[in-house]
Every structure is written in structure tokens, then in C-alpha cells.
Amino acid sequence: MPTLKAPKPNKTKNGLTYLLIIALAIAAFMLIANPSPSTVQEINLNKFVEEVKSGMVHQVVVTDNQIKIELQDGSKQVTNKEPGSDLYSILEKTGVDSDTISKLPTTIEDTTGDKFWIDLLIGFVPFLIIIGFFLFMMRSAQSSNNQAMGFGKSQAKTVDHTKEKTTFDDVAGVLEAKEELKEVVDFLKRPQKYQRMGAKIPKGVILVGPPGTGKTLLARAVAGEAAVPFFSISGSEFVEMFVGVGASRVRDLFKKAKRNAPCIIFIDEIDAVGRHRGAGMGGGHDEREQTLNQILSEMDGFETGTNVIVMAATNRPDVLDPALLRPGRFDRRVIVDNPDLKAREQILEVHSRNKPLASSVDLEKIARQTPGFTGADLENLMNEAAILAAKKNQKKVHMNDVEQSIEKVLMGPERKSKVLSKKEKEITAYHEVGHAVVGNMLEGCDNVRKISIISRGMSLGSTWFMPGEEKHLHSKSKFEDEICSLLGGYICEKAIFGQVTTGASNDLERATNLARRMVTEFGMSDLGPVIFGEKNKEVFLGRDFGHVRNYSEEVAGEIDKQIKKFITEAEGRTEKLIKKHRPLIEKITEDLIKKETLTGEEFKKYFKGTKVPSKTTV
């Protein structure tokens, strides 16, 4: 099986070397041209002659036209003679007797070689500087040229199988998706097994699911399991401001992949280049459309039998071009959905492997308390619990740490510094107890897990509900009960204080949106089994225009009436419950103000003598 060769390292010289050579040359030139000041005394030639006559001179060294003198007392002097003149001739002409001249210790230094090198260095330094400058400029130009030449090259990263790798054992909660991908891995490892049956290798596999559900993690697991060359790239890396660059990178990527076949190409966030064509923007020379056209051509062109599988991931399959999703290009669509209860428990087990958990930690209970959490949310949850345990200097992660982390992930950290006045604290307590009591009295609502008046995020208080089991189908009665529970805080404030506050704004928004969906999406109103409005398929429109109104003004008025009807009926039911159980609400609120937090078990104790309808599964 062919292996992916590592690219050869770039051997271009470092510009810092040239700069260092130039600096050293300049320093040498400055030392030669500006020698350090000497401590030797400089005298004239007449004084030197007088010193020779008087016998004060101990030694004389002649260097070119310079006479270096050392006196009997050890002091040193220097004088200069005329070029071409002889020291002995000078002394004879100035009246020094021949006997004194013969006894004078004289040394003649040959400076021909040193002078040659000094002159050569002085003459060569300017040329060295000029050459270094040109080399530096040439290297910069060559680097820019290399970047320009590599502009259309693929930016894909290759996965190194020798390093720590991800396997299917590291991915939990997506059993069906793993089974689909295991077939792809098995096909790459043992193609003859399938070819004997006439089966062809899938051209492409697209992973579809909400953010954080593990699509990229699954791709990394395929890379680890397949043990074949794996090219990974993001869809945004194809798109540049110049037309044709993305298509060039696509061609280069598939060319590399075919040289290393069998192999896998993984394109993350493919919706960056795979959006629906013909949206009316960019014209025929739109860079994104040219890139998409090249991808379509490479995936299902005239060339066959390349053994290159393209994997892609997106959380927006609705905006992808139909030509990209047809069989022959992406043959398989693997759904990676939010994990259910059992899957969440398995994911928690994976993310708690390297964390010392106390015996009190119940992963099944944690999974029940985290409906709607994705794999990324659960990983973050366990990490936050470990950080909290470390802050407390604990040796293990306890159940209390995990439960506090759930609340932190959902609502943000506790804001104990935000001090409420006595009146605001009382209003917040009645508001939260109103939610909890109404929800507890209605069979369509989930169980109360916790009530708190400690500020978190933007909220002054919070009430958490925990479903008894996973629910996939929801009835009209359940939605009506949930609207009552959402209005519980609003109605309780109104009943106790005679007025309402701004704290109920988010509850009212959620209740109104739920009622609108019941009318327009679920067909649960008196308007009959009709869906009002449709999602816009034109991808260039903004989110605010993503819903097309396909009904008249008269129907719009009827929709508003039905929404109002759901809210009004829920308001009436909630008022009756609040009025009937007001003494119980006041007692619970009094205790909540003292404790600031009530657990689900503590809350249930208030209803021991009260008949509460049993919870339904739908």
C-alpha cells in the first residue's frame, strides 16, 4: 500500500545570516578605519636624534615610515620619517657618530604581507556590503515569488498516524454513525472483499448534524482507524478574493490524493463552498461557484477507480447545492444527532476516563439532568467539574461539583456579588416558586429539580425542570401545560403584589413563541391541520427574511387570534392554580428566601399532603 511521503524541508537561506555577515564586515571596516587611540607619545624626528646622541634610546623598531622608540626608562615613543628614506642615513646626516649608530639596537619589520591584506579588506568591504544587500533583496523576491507560485496549491493538512491518534473507541453515543463509517474503513482496508460482490467504493460520505455533536471527531476517528493517507481541510480555505484560486486548490488537492490512493479527503464546513448555486449574486464568475463546480467535476468526472473517498461535515444541509448531494458524489448521508439518555451516559464515560471521580458521581443521573446537551457540551461540563474540584483542592471530582457545573454551563456562574434589595429578593422568590408550583401541579410538565434565587448570568433567579425520561413526541396538552408553567411567575407576581415587573419578559417571549409554533408549525389550533409559512430556500437572504409568508392578511389575523386564545386560556388556568395554592406558595417562598436554594427533594416534601396528578410520558 503506498504511503504518504513527507514534504522535503525548504532549504532557502535565512536572511538573518546575510545581515550578520554585513554587520561583521562593517564592524571590521570601522575597526581598521578608526583604530583605538594609542597611549604612545608622538615626538618629532629632531628630538629622536637628540635622544640617540645622548644614549637614552634602548631599542628602535622601524615599520614602513614609522619609527617606534623604547627608551631606557621603559617609556615608548613614536615618530615618522620621510617615505623612501633610510634610518641610518638620517642619523648620519644629523651628526650621529657611526659608533653610536652601530650600537643602536634596531629592528626592521616587514609589513608587505599585512599591508596587502589590510588594503584588500578595506577595498573589499564596500563590495561585500553591496553583494550582501543584493543577496538579501534577491531572497525576498524569491520568497514572494514562491508564495505567488504556491497561491493555487492545496492548503490541506495531512494526518500523521505515528502520533497519538483518535479511534472509534474515543467516540461514544453515535452508534449508527460509527457503523456507517466502519464500512468505509473496512472497504479501504479490504477492498477485495467487496469487489468480489461487485460493490463499488463510496464516492463521498457527508456528516450532518447540529454543532458540537462530534462530526469532526468522527472524521479524526476514521483517519485513525483507516491507516491510509488522510487530507483534512476546511471549506473556507478554498475561497480567496481571486477567481480561480479555489478551483486550482481543489485540483491540486485531488491530484495529491490520487497519487496517494487509497486515501480519504475530509472537508470540514463544506457549506462554505457548497451553497446552492444560482442565488443571483456574483454572476458566472463567482469564486465560490467556480470552486464548487471543480469539486463536483473531481468527485464524479470521467476518471473512475481512483479509490479516493471524500468525507465532509456540515450543520447546514438545507443550503447545500442538490448536485453535491446526489448519489455518485455524496453517496451516504450520516446523521449525527444530539445524543439521547444512553448516549449521553456513554459520552460522559469517555470524557471522565482521565478524571478521578468520587464514588458519589452517578453518570446516569448526570445524563438525565442534561437533556439537549451535545457531546461538546458534556466534555465542557466534565472539564468545568474538574476545574471546580481543583479550585477546592480536592483529590477527586464529587457529584456536587458536576451538578454545580451543569448550572454554570446552562446559566453561567453564580453572581453572588449582585446583591438584591429585600423587596427584589421577595419578588424573585415568589416568581420562581410560581413557576415551580404550577409546573408541579400540571401533568404535562417535567419534575422540578432545583429552585434558586441566586443570580446567574442575566437572570436574578432560576427554576430547573428535569424530564423523567427522553421524549421525542409532544402532545398539545403538554405544550398547553408548559405555557401555564411559563406564565406561573408572571401570574404569581400579579396575584401577590398587584403588579408585574420586567423579570417576566423572557417567560412571556418563550410562551408566545411556543403558542405561535403550535398554530403555524404543528397544526394544533382551530385553524386545522395547516402549516402557515415556509422556510425560504434562497440562501443569500438574511435570517430575518428566511421565513416566507404564504398566507393572506385575513389568515394572519386569525393566527394572532389563535395565539391569543392559547395564552388567555393558559393565563386563566394558571390564575386558578395560584389562587388555590397561595398558602403553600407563601410557605415555600418564605423558606426559599432563607435558604436561597431548594433542591427537588426538598421541594417535593411540601406536597406530601397535597394530591398531585401523576406525570405523563407525553
Side-chain angles (χ1 to χ4, degrees):
M1 183 180 295
T3 57
L4 184 62
K5 295 182 179 178
K8 295 183 179 179
N10 191 357
K11 297 183 178 180
T12 56
K13 294 184 178 179
N14 195 336
L16 185 62
T17 306
Y18 297 117
L19 293 176
L20 183 60
I21 293 173
I22 294 172
L24 291 174
I26 294 174
F29 178 79
M30 295 300 294
L31 287 173
I32 295 170
N34 300 297
S36 58
S38 176
T39 58
V40 179
Q41 182 184 3
E42 188 173 354
I43 61 173
N44 56 35
L45 194 59
N46 292 333
K47 186 176 181 181
F48 167 64
V49 173
E50 292 297 327
E51 290 174 346
V52 173
K53 288 180 179 179
S54 61
M56 296 172 61
V57 178
H58 174 67
Q59 186 180 9
V60 175
V61 178
V62 180
T63 304
D64 288 338
N65 298 321
Q66 189 179 62
I67 303 173
K68 298 176 183 178
I69 309 154
E70 183 180 352
L71 302 180
Q72 298 291 349
D73 60 1
S75 60
K76 296 182 179 180
Q77 297 173 339
V78 66
T79 186
N80 295 310
K81 63 182 181 65
E82 294 180 359
S85 61
D86 180 70
L87 176 62
Y88 296 108
S89 300
I90 293 172
L91 293 175
E92 287 179 357
K93 290 178 181 179
T94 54
V96 180
D97 58 84
S98 57
D99 187 45
T100 303
I101 294 174
S102 63
K103 292 181 180 179
L104 181 64
T106 304
T107 303
I108 308 297
E109 288 187 349
D110 184 10
T111 59
T112 306
D114 294 340
K115 185 177 180 181
F116 170 78
W117 289 110
I118 292 173
D119 292 340
L120 180 63
L121 182 59
I122 293 174
F124 187 67
V125 164
F127 291 101
L128 183 63
I129 295 173
I130 295 171
I131 292 171
F133 175 75
F134 276 108
L135 287 174
F136 179 75
M137 294 298 294
M138 289 173 61
R139 180 189 174 277
S140 299
Q142 185 179 8
S143 176
S144 301
N145 186 49
N146 288 338
Q147 290 179 2
M149 294 298 292
F151 200 58
K153 298 296 183 182
S154 168
Q155 309 295 318
K157 298 176 285 292
T158 56
V159 176
D160 188 356
H161 300 295
T162 60
K163 297 181 180 179
E164 183 179 357
K165 63 180 181 180
T166 305
T167 64
F168 284 132
D169 293 334
D170 301 314
V171 185
V174 282
L175 181 61
E176 293 80 7
K178 284 199 295 185
E179 289 299 324
E180 290 275 350
L181 296 175
K182 282 179 180 178
E183 291 182 12
V184 174
V185 172
D186 192 43
F187 206 119
L188 289 170
K189 287 184 175 180
R190 291 175 286 273
Q192 299 82 6
K193 172 182 174 182
Y194 297 89
Q195 289 172 356
R196 284 197 299 266
M197 302 300 296
K200 297 180 181 179
I201 189 170
K203 288 288 186 69
V205 178
I206 187 165
L207 305 172
V208 178
T213 49
K215 298 184 293 296
T216 306
L217 181 64
L218 274 169
R220 292 207 304 266
V222 171
E225 294 281 352
V228 296
F230 188 92
F231 297 88
S232 175
I233 192 170
S234 172
S236 60
E237 294 183 51
F238 289 115
V239 183
E240 292 286 351
M241 64 179 293
F242 302 109
V243 175
V245 173
S248 175
R249 290 179 177 176
V250 171
R251 286 192 294 270
D252 185 65
L253 173 61
F254 277 85
K255 188 183 297 182
K256 290 180 181 177
K258 290 170 186 175
R259 286 201 302 263
N260 295 278
C263 69
I264 298 174
I265 296 174
F266 176 62
I267 305 176
D268 200 5
E269 304 295 345
I270 195 173
D271 51 275
V273 292
R275 286 174 174 255
H276 199 295
R277 292 171 293 177
M281 296 186 69
H285 295 289
D286 182 14
E287 162 65 359
R288 182 180 52 77
E289 289 196 7
Q290 297 296 329
T291 306
L292 175 58
N293 291 338
Q294 189 63 45
I295 293 176
L296 297 176
S297 176
E298 293 287 350
M299 288 189 67
D300 192 20
F302 288 101
E303 190 173 359
T304 58
T306 56
N307 282 355
V308 175
I309 295 179
V310 181
M311 291 183 61
T314 181
N315 50 27
R316 294 292 309 277
D318 54 309
V319 303
L320 294 180
D321 193 273
L324 193 64
L325 298 177
R326 73 162 176 81
R329 292 200 172 104
F330 282 105
D331 303 289
R332 294 191 178 187
R333 177 181 294 194
V334 179
I335 305 300
V336 188
D337 206 351
N338 286 333
D340 57 14
L341 176 62
K342 187 64 178 177
R344 289 198 300 274
E345 185 178 353
Q346 294 172 354
I347 293 171
L348 288 169
E349 289 176 359
V350 170
H351 293 306
S352 61
R353 285 176 183 172
N354 61 341
K355 297 176 178 64
L357 300 182
S359 56
S360 61
V361 176
D362 186 351
L363 296 181
E364 183 182 359
K365 185 177 180 181
I366 297 170
R368 290 186 178 277
Q369 295 178 7
T370 53
F373 273 48
T374 64
D377 293 330
L378 295 171
E379 181 182 11
N380 183 42
L381 166 64
M382 296 306 297
N383 186 59
E384 289 288 349
I387 292 174
L388 184 60
K391 283 174 63 178
K392 295 179 181 178
N393 296 319
Q394 299 174 178
K395 294 183 178 179
K396 293 185 177 181
V397 178
H398 296 272
M399 188 66 179
N400 183 52
D401 302 323
V402 182
E403 290 181 339
Q404 288 185 42
S405 299
I406 294 174
E407 297 168 8
K408 182 178 180 181
V409 170
L410 286 173
M411 299 285 293
E414 292 183 354
R415 300 176 62 189
K416 294 184 178 180
S417 60
K418 189 170 185 176
V419 181
L420 302 179
S421 65
K422 184 178 180 181
K423 185 67 174 177
E424 287 181 332
K425 195 171 185 179
E426 185 181 10
I427 293 173
T428 303
Y430 271 107
H431 183 99
E432 300 304 333
V433 172
H435 285 308
V437 170
V438 173
N440 193 69
M441 292 296 176
L442 298 174
E443 57 184 1
C445 296
D446 298 325
N447 298 315
V448 177
R449 187 175 75 85
K450 190 175 183 179
I451 314 170
S452 174
I453 55 173
I454 299 175
S455 299
R456 285 182 179 272
M458 300 298 293
S459 176
L460 299 180
S462 52
T463 303
W464 281 278
F465 292 90
M466 183 176 67
E469 59 184 21
E470 289 292 313
K471 299 176 182 179
H472 303 287
L473 297 175
H474 304 282
S475 64
K476 178 182 177 181
S477 61
K478 174 177 172 54
F479 287 143
E480 290 174 337
D481 289 349
E482 285 187 359
I483 293 175
C484 290
S485 178
L486 289 169
L487 295 177
Y490 172 86
I491 302 299
C492 194
E493 285 186 31
K494 189 176 180 180
I496 301 296
F497 301 101
Q499 60 181 354
V500 295
T501 65
T502 57
S505 61
N506 180 255
D507 299 327
L508 299 179
E509 180 183 358
R510 292 167 58 194
T512 305
N513 288 339
L514 181 55
R516 183 174 298 278
R517 294 187 68 190
M518 291 173 66
V519 176
T520 61
E521 293 184 32
F522 305 139
M524 295 179 176
S525 69
D526 295 340
L527 297 179
V530 182
I531 303 299
F532 298 100
E534 62 181 15
K535 293 182 179 179
N536 190 7
K537 297 180 181 179
E538 296 298 333
V539 299
F540 66 90
L541 290 176
R543 185 172 180 177
D544 292 340
F545 301 97
H547 193 271
V548 177
R549 181 168 148 175
N550 59 355
Y551 46 85
S552 65
E553 291 293 337
E554 290 77 8
V555 175
E558 291 296 323
I559 291 173
D560 291 338
K561 289 180 182 178
Q562 291 296 316
I563 295 172
K564 178 67 174 176
K565 179 183 177 182
F566 280 126
I567 298 296
T568 304
E569 290 178 352
E571 184 181 12
R573 292 176 63 199
T574 306
E575 285 178 347
K576 291 179 181 178
L577 285 171
I578 295 292
K579 184 177 180 180
K580 180 179 180 180
H581 299 285
R582 179 165 178 169
L584 181 61
I585 290 173
E586 291 176 348
K587 178 175 176 54
I588 298 174
T589 302
E590 182 182 350
D591 293 342
L592 179 61
I593 292 173
K594 293 178 183 177
K595 296 182 179 180
E596 293 190 332
T597 299
L598 290 176
T599 64
E601 290 76 14
E602 292 172 333
F603 179 74
K604 287 179 181 178
K605 292 179 181 178
Y606 293 99
F607 297 88
K608 283 187 176 180
T610 305
K611 186 177 180 181
V612 182
S614 59
K615 304 293 182 182
T616 60
T617 57
V618 179

